[in-house]
Amino acid sequence: MSILSGCSKLTSSKEVTRLFLANNNAEGYPTSVACDEFARLVKERTNGRIIIETYHNSVLADEPSCIEQIQVGGIDFARVGVATLAKYDDSLNALQLPYLYRDEEHMWNVLNGEIGQSFLNSETLKEKGIMGLAWYTGGSRNFYNTHKEIHTPEDLVGMKVRVLESKLNMGMVSAMGGEPKPMNFADVYNALEKGTLDAAENNWASYISSSHYKVAKYITVDEHLRIPEIIIASKKSMEKLSEEDQKIIAECAKESTDTQLKLWKNYEEESVKTAEEAGCHITYLTADQVSLFQKSVENLYETEAATYKDIIDAIAAVK
């Protein structure tokens, strides 16, 4: 039974087709606004023939459940993180290795080029009922904690650090000396406040919007991860549309990326300002200090990513 039971799923009335987009971010968040822009563009380009209804804040389901519904056509579109989607095409893990990208520009040169397009066109995903449409940024992720400034991996030794629930991310924190603790994001604030967690890692926007900055005043800007986000579509849903409408939808999804990037940059700048005004201790690492973190996780490229060496080499070669 679809989690959209009771909704007008892919029904047409007066030649209007209604589709559903799921997103776990809150209303007003950069990715949420960009999803709304995607829907607006589709409605405009199809003269109102196709209406995409956007549901934010995990109203329809959490990310893993959304992807399952995408596979069967229960949901038509979703904005998800690559870390979650990698379950369906493990080569996506190559896009989220620590210190993989030199900077944000490098990541976008990768995503906007042949490598990024090849992942959007992934036959592995299509075989599982999933189609990639467009990339969004998830920003760079940094460590923050309740105790002290972090300058080297040794400063993480013994710290209980909340991580994304993936072997790769757990391995990253372990390699740095921390104790990885997979945990639902909604539970992190209380865990930091009570001391059952010492630290977490996330992007600037989430650090502020979740209010984690109020209980974890120390943040280290090491930018260890840049995990892209992606707009995906249900293959079943898309195949019910004409080729022309499928093309319009794909184009509109990619155009919405520009909106997301502009909003993200502004949101990130405001987040840093909020942290500064709240008296948070912001530690910016030197190049030498960053290199210590990079060296601590080098082994992961052999133990967790050896099968993706060709992709990693291709990413490194992108200017």
Side-chain angles (χ1 to χ4, degrees):
M1 181 176 178
S2 168
I3 56 176
L4 284 170
S5 178
C7 294
S8 54
K9 175 72 179 65
L10 267 174
T11 57
S12 294
S13 175
K14 295 181 181 180
E15 299 183 351
V16 173
T17 299
R18 294 185 181 275
L19 305 171
F20 300 89
L21 184 153
N23 169 44
N24 73 341
N25 295 133
E27 293 274 355
Y29 197 78
T31 45
S32 303
V33 177
C35 287
D36 293 338
E37 175 65 3
F38 167 40
R40 186 194 69 78
L41 288 169
V42 170
K43 182 178 180 181
E44 179 183 89
R45 303 281 170 80
T46 62
N47 296 313
R49 288 186 298 100
I50 298 177
I51 294 176
I52 298 176
E53 297 182 8
T54 56
Y55 294 84
H56 306 302
N57 207 30
S58 301
V59 168
L60 296 184
D62 59 18
E63 280 194 13
S65 299
C66 281
I67 297 174
E68 291 174 4
Q69 287 293 313
I70 285 280
Q71 289 183 280
V72 299
I75 292 174
D76 307 297
F77 307 101
R79 193 283 319 155
V80 299
V82 163
T84 311
L85 192 61
K87 173 183 176 181
Y88 299 89
D89 182 351
D90 62 10
S91 66
L92 282 164
N93 283 313
L95 295 180
Q96 53 178 330
L97 285 162
Y99 304 107
L100 176 67
Y101 308 104
R102 294 185 292 273
D103 49 31
E104 186 81 357
E105 181 181 5
H106 179 217
M107 185 185 80
W108 278 104
N109 288 341
V110 170
L111 298 180
N112 287 332
E114 292 182 8
I115 297 171
Q117 191 59 47
S118 69
F119 277 109
L120 292 180
N121 296 336
S122 167
E123 290 299 326
T124 302
L125 290 179
K126 287 179 182 177
E127 288 170 3
K128 295 171 183 176
I130 303 165
M131 297 174 65
L133 294 181
W135 299 105
Y136 283 177
T137 184
S140 60
R141 298 175 76 96
N142 306 296
F143 288 108
Y144 49 88
N145 76 95
T146 59
H147 301 317
K148 62 182 182 180
E149 291 189 15
I150 292 172
H151 297 276
T152 68
E154 285 73 21
D155 293 327
L156 281 171
V157 172
M159 280 196 179
K160 297 184 288 291
V161 186
R162 185 267 177 178
V163 293
L164 296 167
E165 191 169 355
S166 77
K167 186 179 178 183
L168 183 61
N169 286 281
M170 293 175 68
M172 175 190 71
V173 168
S174 293
M176 292 177 177
E179 185 179 340
K181 296 289 183 181
M183 182 182 294
N184 188 304
F185 184 69
D187 298 327
V188 175
Y189 182 96
N190 286 337
L192 288 168
E193 188 176 41
K194 293 177 180 178
T196 51
L197 272 183
D198 301 304
E201 55 83 45
N202 217 312
N203 56 48
W204 272 106
S206 293
Y207 178 55
I208 299 301
S209 65
S210 63
S211 293
H212 290 178
Y213 74 100
K214 295 180 180 178
V215 289
K217 292 282 190 179
Y218 297 89
I219 180 167
T220 296
V221 185
D222 69 302
E223 300 184 337
H224 52 271
L225 290 177
R226 295 180 189 275
I227 303 178
E229 301 188 350
I230 186 172
I231 296 289
I232 57 173
S234 167
K235 188 169 181 283
K236 284 191 174 183
S237 298
M238 290 289 277
E239 289 178 343
K240 292 179 181 180
L241 303 172
S242 68
E243 288 188 10
E244 177 67 20
D245 285 341
Q246 290 184 48
K247 182 179 178 182
I248 289 172
I249 285 171
E251 289 174 349
C252 291
K254 287 187 176 180
E255 285 185 39
S256 73
T257 298
D258 290 338
T259 295
Q260 198 260 343
L261 290 176
K262 290 174 185 175
L263 291 170
W264 187 272
K265 182 179 179 181
N266 293 337
Y267 200 97
E268 196 168 70
E269 289 173 353
E270 289 301 315
S271 296
V272 174
K273 188 182 300 182
T274 297
E276 291 172 342
E277 292 173 351
C280 294
H281 302 270
I282 305 173
T283 303
Y284 294 94
L285 299 183
T286 65
D288 287 342
Q289 289 172 326
V290 171
S291 70
L292 294 176
F293 282 91
Q294 291 173 321
K295 288 176 182 176
S296 73
V297 297
E298 281 179 349
N299 193 48
L300 284 180
Y301 281 70
E302 297 299 326
T303 61
E304 303 297 334
T307 56
Y308 320 128
K309 189 176 186 305
D310 289 347
I311 301 174
I312 294 167
D313 290 344
I315 289 172
V318 173
K319 302 299 183 183

